[in-house]
Amino acid sequence: MTVGIKDVARVAGVSPATVSRVLGNGPVSDDLRQKVEAAIKATQYRPNLAARRLRSQHSRTIGLIVSDIRNPFFTTLSRAVEDAAYGADMRVVLCNTDENPAREAMYLRMMQEERITGLIYAPTRTTAERLGRMEFSFPVVLVDRMGPAGAHDAVTIDNASAAGVLVDHLVGQGHRRILGLFGNTSSTAELRHDGYAAAMARHGLDTDVRFLPPTAEAAEAELTRRLAAGARPDAVMVSNGLLLLGLYRAARRAGLESPRDIAIAGFDNETWTELVGPGLTVIEQPVAEIGRAAMDLVFERLRTPDMARRQVVLAARLVVRGSSAARERTARPAI
């Protein structure tokens, strides 16, 4: 027998409207949310998304929710999504959460109210953890960051493996004391930390880790603090392009030369990374391809609502430049 919203409401002792608000991440008290989520689990309720799509009038609009539009990764991603949407005669509504779960919840409600056609979404870690309990009336594709396994389609790289490749390269260049700086708001940074830690263990090296707000200012402050305390590492690897920018600023301000005084490596092959000092070693992500693949998944889900959930994992590439070279072979390039 098919279980519906009214059945969930009866078990929870609430109204069907309350169940709908919980499923749509709408405004309800924590107590009511817990009752409804318990009833969903007890009744094994599964939303009929195909029927909801048929009943709704969508606006030929793609929602795009990113964590920080200042991050060049999301700038490039947004352009790729917009290009694909334009080609399909659709528009894009872009929202920036600043890694704020309350702001994120507001945008998710807005997407429901706007009856968008599909959502491409980089969730905060807080919201990602409960995505499996949320219902949407449109396809949702996660990018860069993961939610619960099998809850939604997703497009990522193998983040743990990519971080391990960076560590292997640094160790191969003779660097042993490798500091890892990772963002503290996303599952992506956690996976990159896991890859760093596993690679360090494989080489028999101790880890040195700090989780930070994923901003240039946070990385700059952290390296400055360590240098002032006389705790300069051989090398530093960071988990995103903004942290890489802050790290480079701090090294330059301290008068350090790379890689003579400190080796630098990180994620995101932005234009500036090849122009500074000897060039910065990075993991290059196929950002535009991620955006296009996410749009393809939205269209596939619209055509075949009941298809199995898909996780598309795209290949990343190590771009080796002078910032990570072995010190004894370095001729003092200016940072």
Side-chain angles (χ1 to χ4, degrees):
M1 183 177 66
T2 302
V3 176
I5 285 180
K6 290 183 179 179
D7 301 302
V8 175
R10 185 172 60 255
V11 171
V14 300
S15 70
T18 298
V19 175
S20 294
R21 283 196 296 273
V22 171
L23 291 172
N25 198 35
V28 296
S29 69
D30 290 341
D31 181 57
L32 286 179
R33 185 178 297 278
Q34 290 171 7
K35 287 181 179 179
V36 171
E37 288 175 351
I40 290 171
K41 184 176 181 179
T43 59
Q44 297 183 325
Y45 169 71
R46 299 288 296 174
N48 187 340
L49 296 184
R52 292 193 61 166
R53 271 191 283 275
L54 288 172
R55 291 195 301 267
S56 64
Q57 305 251 337
H58 290 299
S59 56
R60 298 195 61 77
T61 299
I62 296 297
L64 177 59
I65 300 179
V66 302
S67 60
D68 188 350
I69 196 61
R70 296 172 302 176
N71 186 330
F73 174 94
F74 289 115
T75 306
T76 303
L77 178 81
S78 300
R79 176 58 188 266
V81 169
E82 197 278 334
D83 284 347
Y86 178 79
D89 194 26
M90 304 177 78
R91 63 175 181 160
V92 174
V93 174
L94 172 64
C95 298
N96 178 71
T97 68
D98 280 339
E99 303 284 8
N100 183 333
R103 188 168 174 174
E104 181 180 26
M106 179 191 71
Y107 288 139
L108 288 173
R109 289 195 298 272
M110 184 189 77
M111 296 297 176
Q112 296 276 22
E113 294 163 359
E114 291 291 325
R115 296 181 180 273
I116 63 170
T117 304
L119 175 63
I120 295 173
Y121 177 29
T124 62
R125 184 171 57 187
T126 299
T127 302
E129 291 171 353
R130 55 190 184 87
L131 274 176
R133 302 191 300 272
M134 296 165 61
E135 179 190 3
F136 298 94
S137 59
F138 42 76
V140 175
V141 178
L142 305 183
V143 288
D144 184 52
R145 303 171 177 193
M146 296 298 296
H152 294 287
D153 299 316
V155 185
T156 66
I157 65 167
D158 187 337
N159 286 291
S161 175
V165 166
L166 271 184
V167 172
D168 290 343
H169 168 71
L170 290 168
V171 172
Q173 294 300 303
H175 306 295
R176 294 293 181 269
R177 292 180 296 117
I178 303 172
L179 169 65
L181 301 182
F182 301 92
N184 62 3
T185 60
S186 73
S187 59
T188 299
E190 289 182 349
L191 290 170
R192 291 173 183 175
H193 163 264
D194 293 346
Y196 157 87
M200 293 290 281
R202 190 169 63 248
H203 290 291
L205 300 175
D206 293 332
T207 59
D208 184 4
V209 174
R210 185 66 187 271
F211 285 92
L212 305 167
T215 65
E217 294 76 14
E220 186 173 0
E222 177 62 19
L223 182 60
T224 299
R225 182 188 68 79
R226 285 176 177 257
L227 294 176
R232 188 173 77 197
D234 295 340
V236 188
M237 65 161 283
V238 299
S239 66
N240 75 21
L242 292 177
L243 292 176
L244 186 62
L245 177 61
L247 176 67
Y248 177 77
R249 282 178 182 168
R252 185 177 65 178
R253 180 172 288 113
L256 301 181
E257 294 183 3
S258 177
R260 187 198 68 179
D261 301 312
I262 189 169
I264 294 174
F267 279 77
D268 297 333
N269 189 24
E270 304 305 332
T271 301
W272 69 270
T273 62
E274 66 177 333
L275 302 177
V276 295
L280 304 185
T281 293
V282 293
I283 293 291
E284 180 181 70
Q285 302 187 76
V287 186
E289 188 179 354
I290 290 172
R292 290 190 294 268
M295 283 294 291
D296 287 344
L297 281 177
V298 168
F299 295 143
E300 286 184 40
R301 182 63 59 188
L302 287 167
R303 289 191 298 266
T304 314
D306 297 325
M307 74 177 187
R309 301 295 177 191
R310 292 184 57 195
Q311 179 182 355
V312 176
V313 180
L314 300 177
R317 181 173 73 99
L318 176 66
V319 179
V320 177
R321 299 189 180 111
S323 69
S324 59
R327 293 182 185 179
E328 60 270 23
R329 298 198 297 269
T330 302
R332 294 175 57 92
I335 193 167

